Amino acid sequence: MGVNVGVRRRPDQMELQLVRPRCRSTARCVHRRRPAAAQAPGRIGGRQGWGETWAWSSRHIWRQNVRQRQQRFGKGSRIGADTGSAFEGDVSEIIICQNEVDLALKNLHAWMKDESVAKNLFTQLDSAFIRKEPFGLVLIVAPWNYPVNLTLVPLVGALAAGNCVVLKPSEISKGTEKVLAEVLPRYLDQSCFAVVLGGPEETGQLLKHKFDYILFTGSPRVGKIIMAAATKHLTPVTLELGGKNPCYVDDDCDPQTVANRVAWFRYFNTGQTCVAPDYVLCSPEMQARLLPALQSAITRFYGEDPQSSPDLGRIINHKHFQRLRDLLSCGRVAIGGQSDESECYIAPTVLVDVQETEPVMQEEIFGPILPIMNVRGLDEAIDFINRREKPLALYAFSNSNQATVGWEDTTASSPSTPSPTTVPACSPARAWRSSTQSATLPILNGNSS
């Protein structure tokens, strides 16, 4: 069942009011304030409200709004104001949101259809199928590193599935938080969503309420808090957490090809990406060939002076800048290492002679720093990875099929991405549930209906 939600946003007196409608159909986010020239779509699958109004408002408002507001987001959000790279913002934020809206519009009818299932001994005389239903009230807690993408993409899925949504943008990306709170109410029916602003205290207050589903992207530390709060109400959750993602480079690889791909993804968004390569495992011989190739790739992407490059962003705030600058003392700086606190700037950096016990190898870096660890071969690399926490992604560069099969069979990464050209992406949950029981209908005149 859907839920109407209203939020009072005063930090000193925040109260979440949940009003569950009596009539099931009234819970389905009907947009009644439509322009006179617009034509509302017909019923979808014979069930009015499940997705019809969302599809209408998405086609005529969301997609148009995302394009028209692209420049606004670039000026007022993390994309432009907090990190300074407009190109990366377009690629990783705006375009992805546009594609997500188009994907939902194209596939909504198919997603909503009942799914036939096989019958067992107890349902032979029945019609057995799975019918997807909205969960109800969904809480989306978004991170700061991609604050537009990782807020709006889950919102598209949740609304497409017929849910009402409470959005909690990250307080760290202050520009985006402000823009979302200002812009979204102009284009979406406020009876089916709300934006809550604030920091950890406000998030803690939100988690005291019962939600029907929680979507969270962020650190494992906060993920544990979200999970603990959800268990009190038996609320299902989707947690997309970070991790230290290894990158293995075999000796038979072309070092410049590897360097181009690793440098591009490692330093994209200033290294503040949860699925970026976090460290490299290779032999000492490959390291000697890889270092000049990495220097060449960094110069090619960001010029002789990366600090002046419009394509290299900045660290999100001074707290994270200081944390990253402390990590520069680990091992030995082979490339980069420069920093400027006034701009929250850290140069694309490569560290060598790093020890496994040093801080840079104990925590997710989440910055433009790439340590290189030496291993004697594939087996040692696999053992090294399997001794540690499960990574979010794995990258392996090799021209040997044996190496690829070795990663697939023995590592515990999720998702595993042995292809050197593959970039894993986190698929947003659609936030609707499928009944675990078959729907049983009476049999009339010997025929199932």
Side-chain angles (χ1 to χ4, degrees):
M1 177 178 290
V3 179
N4 291 330
V5 56
V7 177
R8 299 174 184 173
R9 299 181 180 85
R10 287 180 55 189
D12 58 338
Q13 190 181 4
M14 190 181 74
E15 178 182 354
L16 186 68
Q17 299 176 336
L18 307 183
V19 181
R20 296 181 180 269
R22 295 180 182 177
C23 177
R24 185 170 187 168
S25 62
T26 63
R28 290 172 182 160
C29 304
V30 178
H31 198 299
R32 296 182 176 85
R33 296 185 295 278
R34 59 185 62 162
Q39 297 294 324
R43 295 192 176 194
I44 294 179
R47 287 173 285 166
Q48 184 177 12
W50 231 76
E52 62 181 69
T53 306
W54 182 88
W56 175 86
S57 59
S58 293
R59 186 179 302 278
H60 296 281
I61 294 176
W62 269 66
R63 188 163 52 189
Q64 180 182 5
N65 174 43
V66 168
R67 294 192 180 108
Q68 291 178 347
R69 295 284 171 168
Q70 180 169 353
Q71 185 176 4
R72 174 69 179 277
F73 273 115
K75 289 181 178 179
S77 72
R78 178 206 64 82
I79 298 173
D82 294 337
T83 65
S85 177
F87 165 76
E88 292 178 350
D90 288 344
V91 171
S92 62
E93 302 266 46
I94 303 298
I95 294 175
I96 288 179
C97 292
Q98 290 176 346
N99 291 343
E100 188 68 16
V101 171
D102 291 339
L103 177 70
L105 291 171
K106 180 180 179 180
N107 295 284
L108 186 57
H109 287 75
W111 292 342
M112 290 167 51
K113 287 181 179 178
D114 292 339
E115 179 184 347
S116 298
V117 295
K119 299 179 183 180
N120 58 31
L121 178 63
F122 298 101
T123 60
Q124 284 299 314
L125 303 180
D126 305 324
S127 293
F129 56 89
I130 295 174
R131 172 162 295 171
K132 303 177 181 71
E133 298 178 349
F135 276 95
L137 180 61
V138 175
L139 172 63
I140 298 176
V141 182
W144 53 262
N145 59 323
Y146 292 98
V148 177
N149 172 356
L150 296 176
T151 300
L152 296 188
V153 168
L155 178 63
V156 171
L159 292 182
N163 300 281
C164 293
V165 177
V166 174
L167 277 177
K168 175 58 186 69
S170 173
E171 74 283 359
I172 296 177
S173 51
K174 299 182 184 298
T176 302
E177 180 189 44
K178 207 169 166 185
V179 171
L180 289 173
E182 175 187 346
V183 172
L184 287 180
R186 300 179 187 175
Y187 297 92
L188 292 177
D189 188 345
Q190 296 186 53
S191 68
C192 60
F193 93 101
V195 180
V196 178
L197 306 182
E201 181 180 351
E202 285 74 20
T203 304
Q205 292 295 321
L206 271 178
L207 292 173
K208 292 180 180 179
H209 296 276
K210 184 183 186 303
F211 291 91
D212 299 300
Y213 205 98
I214 298 176
L215 298 165
F216 169 75
T217 304
S219 68
R221 180 185 64 83
V222 180
K224 293 177 182 178
I225 298 173
I226 299 288
M227 178 71 82
T231 57
K232 296 179 181 178
H233 303 290
L234 298 179
T235 300
V237 299
T238 294
L239 304 179
E240 197 276 289
L241 308 178
K244 291 190 71 65
N245 308 312
C247 175
Y248 173 72
V249 182
D250 210 352
D251 285 341
D252 61 2
C253 294
D254 173 52
Q256 193 60 63
T257 300
V258 173
N260 291 342
R261 295 172 179 176
V262 171
W264 182 84
F265 201 21
R266 170 71 268 187
Y267 304 122
F268 187 90
N269 196 31
T270 329
Q272 298 166 125
T273 304
C274 63
V275 289
D278 201 79
Y279 62 96
V280 170
L281 296 173
C282 66
S283 68
E285 294 76 19
M286 173 52 73
Q287 175 181 300
R289 299 163 57 203
L290 192 58
L291 284 175
L294 283 169
Q295 179 66 77
S296 174
I298 292 170
T299 303
R300 176 186 175 190
F301 296 155
Y302 305 110
E304 296 291 342
D305 180 17
Q307 188 170 0
S308 62
S309 171
D311 297 322
L312 183 65
R314 298 296 183 263
I315 306 305
I316 187 69
N317 59 24
H318 287 282
K319 177 182 176 181
H320 285 278
F321 170 83
Q322 188 59 54
R323 176 185 63 82
L324 290 168
R325 189 162 66 175
D326 292 342
L327 295 180
L328 294 176
S329 61
C330 299
R332 176 175 61 85
V333 174
I335 299 173
Q338 300 84 7
S339 63
D340 185 343
E341 186 172 3
S342 65
E343 294 186 15
C344 287
Y345 165 78
I346 292 182
T349 299
V350 178
L351 302 178
V352 296
D353 301 333
V354 176
Q355 301 300 315
E356 183 179 354
T357 55
E358 291 187 278
V360 75
M361 292 302 297
Q362 297 299 311
E363 62 184 66
E364 184 179 8
I365 297 172
F366 227 63
I369 301 172
L370 181 66
I372 297 180
M373 296 279 296
N374 291 146
V375 293
R376 288 187 294 271
L378 175 65
D379 292 339
E380 185 176 340
I382 292 174
D383 291 341
F384 180 89
I385 294 169
N386 284 340
R387 291 199 307 267
R388 307 168 70 85
E389 291 289 332
K390 179 190 291 188
L392 185 63
L394 164 68
Y395 302 88
F397 292 85
S398 178
N399 289 318
S400 168
N401 291 332
Q402 183 179 2
T404 301
V405 172
W407 288 115
E408 291 176 343
D409 291 344
T410 60
T411 58
S413 61
S414 176
S416 177
T417 55
S419 170
T421 59
T422 300
V423 177
C426 306
S427 178
R430 298 290 169 210
W432 57 26
R433 63 177 167 221
S434 299
S435 173
T436 56
Q437 299 179 347
S438 60
T440 302
L441 301 178
I443 304 301
L444 301 176
N445 299 326
N447 296 318
S448 61
S449 58

